[in-house]
């Protein structure tokens, strides 16, 4: 089978496993079924289901969304484990070998510490995997058993799913060493929703907001990613450091010979992909940023510790937004793996990469998250409520929402309004300072509430909304995205010659929509 066929087979196995698991909890596409001694997970699944009912409008659609979220979360986790194992970033957890008695190396080692589990079903596969995920959770939240979509199938179903993943690398139709490929998570992402694309196309239905991500999932060719990042981030860097040796390592058109841009600290240079997908631009951007940091350390006396560079890149330089929660999971996992390959021990506190697929309730239901035990000032609450109402539409419009303009208008309106003393001249020396304080206070409120109430689905999605709001209301040095294509566009003989000479590809970007970028880089 091809990789896409393996992907669909695994997706179906996981999908059915979770339908079975939810059914035993009394959760299906109809009303909840009372059961004796419900498992602890049922209440958590009920809470998520209630939010999805409000979002989708029907119980059946909410159930399908719940199954889908659980399915792709487990798929992503196991796929990431396979990639990390292929790069020997940790002992094999998923890959099972005959030399270990048909177990994974980590499972065999776990059994030596837990010999009583040998008599359990599949030798304690479920508690073993739970323990491994808990260990990985210290590095990245997606692996955490406290993650909103954390749920595992039955032992036998999980064993079948793991075996299906392990069959991929033994298939002669699949590229050798597929799990070591930098592109494998991107190809899995594009393949995963093929069934949805086919069903939507066959239906002939109009592409509404909830179908946009299905139609727009197109894997960006590697050469396109290289060209755009080299000639945006790479060129910006050379405008500050024209004598840098990186000019010889990347393909930068019309590289400047003298300094044309004021220098700024590298950790303050932000790059965003407003339609992230599985993160191809950000993954390549990670590699370039890493080289730039090393260049700063070795050649310009920058006070960075090389061991901190992967964390600096993820937490400061790279930002992204996408409508599809699964795409964001993969982008985060891809960057985490990149960081692990550079520095084996790395803990990522926060990703600036977020899905806009959050459905938020009325402000009254969550106002306590922002009040921190005391009511907000009336004027500040007006801003919060107004922005909250816009954020409630984020699952439809993603990065197209224009929050920056509204935020600025609201803030400056308060400053000019007579009698308002909340924001004085002293407190608002700079607009950016207030914005930073504003978001810091929001995050403190959420963090304190989470500590009191535990990690709930609502808390998690509120935090996503705040991150999303931050990303839409700050400035960037570089923006990259998969451009539109055409068969006839040409930006002139010099650019065409550059692209075809360096990438062995015909140049087919849409002239009108990408003219601004080309004007800057070439």
């Amino acid at each position: 089978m091809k990789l896409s066929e393996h992907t669909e087979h695994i997706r179906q196995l996981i999908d059915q496993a979770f339908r079975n698991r939810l059914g035993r909890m009394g959760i299906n596409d109809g009303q909840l079924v009372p059961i004796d001694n419900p498992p602890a997970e049922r209440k958590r699944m009920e809470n998520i289901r209630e939010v999805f009912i409000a979002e989708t409008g029907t119980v059946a659609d909410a159930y399908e969304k719940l199954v889908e979220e659980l399915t792709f979360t487990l798929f992503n986790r196991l796929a990431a484990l396979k990639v990390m194992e292929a790069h020997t970033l940790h002992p094999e957890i998923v890959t099972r070998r005959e030399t270990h008695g048909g177990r994974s190396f980590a499972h065999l080692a776990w059994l030596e510490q837990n010999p009583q589990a040998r008599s359990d079903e599949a030798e304690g596969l479920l508690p073993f995997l739970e323990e491994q995920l808990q260990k990985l959770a210290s590095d990245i939240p997606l692996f955490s058993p406290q993650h909103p979509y954390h749920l595992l199938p039955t032992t036998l179903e999980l064993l079948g799913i793991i075996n299906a993943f392990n069959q991929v690398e033994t298939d002669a139709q699949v590229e050798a060493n597929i799990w070591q490929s930098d592109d494998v998570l991107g190809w899995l992402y594009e393949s995963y929703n093929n069934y949805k694309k086919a069903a939507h196309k066959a239906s002939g239905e109009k592409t509404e907001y909830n179908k946009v991500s299905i139609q727009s999932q197109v894997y960006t060719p590697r050469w396109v990613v290289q060209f755009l990042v080299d000639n945006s981030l790479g060129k910006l860097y050379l405008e500050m450091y024209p004598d840098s040796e990186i000019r010889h390592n990347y393909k930068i058109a019309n590289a400047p010979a003298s300094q044309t841009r004021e220098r700024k600290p590298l950790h303050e240079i932000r790059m965003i992909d407003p339609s992230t997908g599985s993160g191809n631009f950000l993954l390549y951007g990670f590699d370039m940023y890493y080289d730039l940091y090393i260049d700063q350390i070795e050649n310009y006396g920058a006070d960075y510790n090389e061991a901190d560079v992967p964390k600096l890149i993820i937490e400061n330089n790279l930002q992204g937004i996408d409508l599809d929660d699964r795409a964001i999971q993969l982008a985060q996992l891809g960057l985490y793996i990149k960081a692990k390959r550079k520095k084996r021990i790395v803990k990522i506190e926060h990703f600036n990469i977020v899905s806009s697929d959050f459905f938020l309730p009325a402000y009254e239901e969550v106002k306590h998250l922002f009040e921190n035990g005391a009511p907000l000032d009336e004027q500040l609450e007006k801003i919060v409520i107004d922005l909250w109402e816009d954020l409630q539409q984020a699952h439809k419009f993603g990065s197209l929402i224009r929050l920056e303009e509204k935020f600025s208008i609201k803030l400056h309106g308060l400053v000019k309004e007579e009698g308002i003393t909340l924001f004085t001249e002293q407190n608002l020396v700079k607009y950016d300072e207030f914005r930073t304080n504003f978001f810091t206070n929001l995050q403190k409120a959420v963090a304190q509430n989470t500590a009191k109430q535990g990690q709930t689905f609502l808390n998690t999605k509120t935090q996503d909304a705040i991150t999303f709001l931050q990303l839409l209301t700050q400035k960037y040095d570089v923006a990259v995205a998969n451009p539109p294509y055409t068969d006839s566009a040409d930006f002139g003989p010099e650019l065409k010659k550059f692209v075809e000479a360096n990438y062995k590809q015909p140049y087919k970007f849409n002239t009108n929509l990408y003219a601004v970028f080309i004007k800057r880089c070439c």
Side-chain angles (χ1 to χ4, degrees):
M1 294 191 292
K2 298 177 181 178
L3 180 61
S4 60
E5 294 170 325
H6 281 284
T7 301
E8 175 58 12
H9 173 59
I10 295 170
R11 186 199 65 79
Q12 290 182 11
L13 288 177
I14 301 176
D15 178 279
Q16 188 57 56
F18 281 127
R19 291 180 192 275
N20 294 341
R21 181 77 196 276
L22 291 172
R24 286 187 289 273
M25 291 185 192
I27 300 174
N28 51 44
D29 60 0
Q31 297 303 312
L32 295 173
V33 178
I35 60 172
D36 295 329
N37 302 315
E41 297 91 348
R42 167 152 169 168
K43 184 60 179 177
R44 181 162 54 89
M45 294 298 109
E46 284 183 25
N47 290 340
I48 298 174
R49 174 180 172 274
E50 288 175 8
V51 174
F52 288 167
I53 290 173
E55 176 181 344
T56 64
T58 73
V59 171
D61 287 342
Y63 171 76
E64 291 300 325
K65 184 172 177 62
L66 176 58
V67 170
E68 183 176 12
E69 300 283 356
L70 295 171
T71 298
F72 72 62
T73 297
L74 180 58
F75 182 98
N76 288 349
R77 285 170 157 184
L78 295 177
L81 290 177
K82 288 292 295 182
V83 173
M84 287 190 284
E85 290 170 8
H87 290 290
T88 64
L89 298 180
H90 60 66
E92 291 176 339
I93 296 171
V94 177
T95 303
R96 302 162 68 87
R97 300 186 185 279
E98 289 303 318
T99 52
H100 306 315
R103 312 172 188 90
S104 69
F105 177 85
H107 192 186
L108 180 61
W110 182 82
L111 286 171
E112 292 177 358
Q113 299 296 318
N114 300 273
Q116 75 283 356
R118 292 182 183 275
S119 59
D120 294 342
E121 193 173 28
E123 297 185 305
L125 179 63
L126 274 178
F128 159 71
L129 187 58
E130 289 273 12
E131 185 175 304
Q132 301 305 307
L133 291 175
Q134 183 64 67
K135 291 179 180 178
L136 290 167
S138 63
D139 287 349
I140 182 170
L142 179 61
F143 288 115
S144 173
Q146 283 71 53
H147 189 275
Y149 300 130
H150 173 73
L151 193 67
L152 293 179
T154 63
T155 300
L156 291 180
E157 287 171 322
L158 178 60
L159 183 59
I161 293 164
I162 288 175
N163 287 339
F165 267 101
N166 287 328
Q167 288 168 4
V168 173
E169 66 258 34
T170 64
D171 194 327
Q173 294 188 53
V174 176
E175 176 187 339
N177 302 318
I178 185 64
W179 297 111
Q180 292 182 356
S181 170
D182 284 345
D183 298 333
V184 65
L185 293 179
W187 288 119
L188 290 173
Y189 169 63
E190 186 171 8
S191 300
Y192 187 90
N193 278 334
N194 280 345
Y195 78 102
K196 280 190 172 183
K197 292 180 183 179
H200 179 62
K201 184 176 181 180
S203 72
E205 295 177 355
K206 182 181 178 181
T207 303
E208 299 288 355
Y209 73 89
N210 58 338
K211 303 293 184 182
V212 169
S213 62
I214 297 173
Q215 292 295 90
S216 61
Q217 289 166 357
V218 179
Y219 183 81
T220 310
R222 178 73 172 179
W223 77 269
V224 173
V225 173
Q226 291 177 320
F227 173 72
L228 295 183
V229 176
D230 287 0
N231 288 281
S232 53
L233 175 60
K235 190 159 189 177
L236 179 145
Y237 186 78
L238 286 183
E239 288 172 351
M240 295 187 293
Y241 301 93
D243 58 337
S244 171
E245 290 299 310
I246 74 117
R247 67 168 55 243
H248 305 303
N249 302 328
Y250 294 92
K251 300 167 183 176
I252 300 173
N254 297 331
S258 59
Q259 183 178 344
T260 59
R261 181 182 293 271
E262 183 178 350
R263 293 176 177 178
K264 64 188 296 188
L266 186 55
H267 65 275
E268 295 180 8
I269 298 177
R270 298 190 185 108
M271 182 176 86
I272 187 170
D273 183 349
S275 184
T276 300
S278 58
N280 291 345
F281 284 100
L282 300 182
L283 293 171
Y284 184 74
F286 178 97
D287 291 334
M288 176 175 278
Y289 268 114
Y290 191 89
D291 287 349
L292 301 185
Y293 272 103
I294 299 304
D295 187 48
Q296 285 288 296
I297 293 170
E298 294 181 349
N299 300 311
Y300 297 97
D303 188 22
Y304 296 118
N305 186 327
E306 185 175 349
D308 297 332
V309 168
K311 184 179 175 71
L312 281 170
I313 295 171
I314 292 174
E315 295 185 356
N316 293 276
N317 299 115
L318 299 176
Q319 286 82 23
I321 298 170
D322 200 274
L323 288 166
D324 187 350
D325 200 30
R326 177 172 185 268
I328 292 301
Q329 282 190 7
L330 284 175
Q332 292 182 355
L333 285 169
L335 288 171
Y336 166 70
I337 292 169
K338 283 275 190 183
K340 290 283 284 185
R341 291 174 65 184
K342 292 292 187 182
K343 178 68 177 176
R344 295 302 175 94
I345 301 174
V346 58
K347 178 177 174 59
I348 307 302
E349 301 288 349
H350 179 66
F351 285 93
N352 294 305
I353 306 169
V354 69
S355 165
S356 62
D357 184 20
F358 46 79
F359 181 80
L360 300 178
Y363 176 74
E364 288 298 317
E365 295 183 37
V366 295
K367 63 182 298 183
H368 61 283
L369 294 174
F370 307 105
E371 292 180 336
N372 194 21
L376 289 176
D377 180 276
E378 181 181 354
Q379 299 301 323
L380 179 57
E381 186 171 50
K382 286 181 180 179
I383 294 179
V384 176
I385 291 173
D386 198 37
L387 294 177
W388 187 267
E389 290 175 351
D390 280 350
L391 287 173
Q392 287 179 303
Q393 303 301 312
H395 65 288
K396 295 182 179 181
F397 303 113
S399 57
L400 295 178
I401 293 179
R402 305 295 294 273
L403 290 177
E404 171 69 21
E405 294 175 13
K406 178 173 284 190
F407 195 91
S408 297
I409 292 171
K410 291 286 182 183
L411 176 60
H412 291 298
L414 285 178
V415 175
K416 293 177 181 178
E417 195 173 326
E418 262 187 62
I420 300 299
T421 58
L422 177 64
F423 311 122
T424 65
E425 290 283 338
Q426 184 177 3
N427 291 333
L428 278 177
V429 174
K430 291 183 180 180
Y431 164 62
D432 283 344
E433 289 180 4
F434 168 74
R435 182 177 60 202
T436 300
N437 293 334
F438 176 69
F439 289 119
T440 298
N441 290 336
L442 290 185
Q443 292 206 24
K444 284 181 179 178
V446 173
Q448 290 177 11
N449 182 79
T450 300
K452 292 177 183 177
Q453 298 187 15
Q455 188 73 17
T456 68
F457 182 73
L458 182 57
N459 285 340
T460 302
K461 287 304 181 183
T462 302
Q463 182 61 60
D464 283 352
I466 292 172
T467 301
F468 176 78
L469 180 56
Q470 282 182 299
L471 295 183
L472 288 192
T473 54
Q474 66 185 12
K475 296 179 180 179
Y476 299 93
D477 302 278
V478 178
V480 290
N482 192 11
Y485 299 93
T486 179
D487 289 331
S488 59
D490 187 1
F491 289 97
E494 291 187 8
L495 177 59
K496 182 176 181 181
K497 182 179 179 181
F498 174 81
V499 171
E500 293 182 348
N502 286 285
Y503 301 99
K504 312 301 180 186
Q505 296 286 343
Y507 198 72
K508 298 180 179 180
F509 292 165
N510 181 282
T511 305
N512 294 328
L513 294 177
Y514 238 70
V516 174
F517 172 80
I518 295 301
K519 181 178 179 181
R520 161 169 165 63
C521 81
C522 301

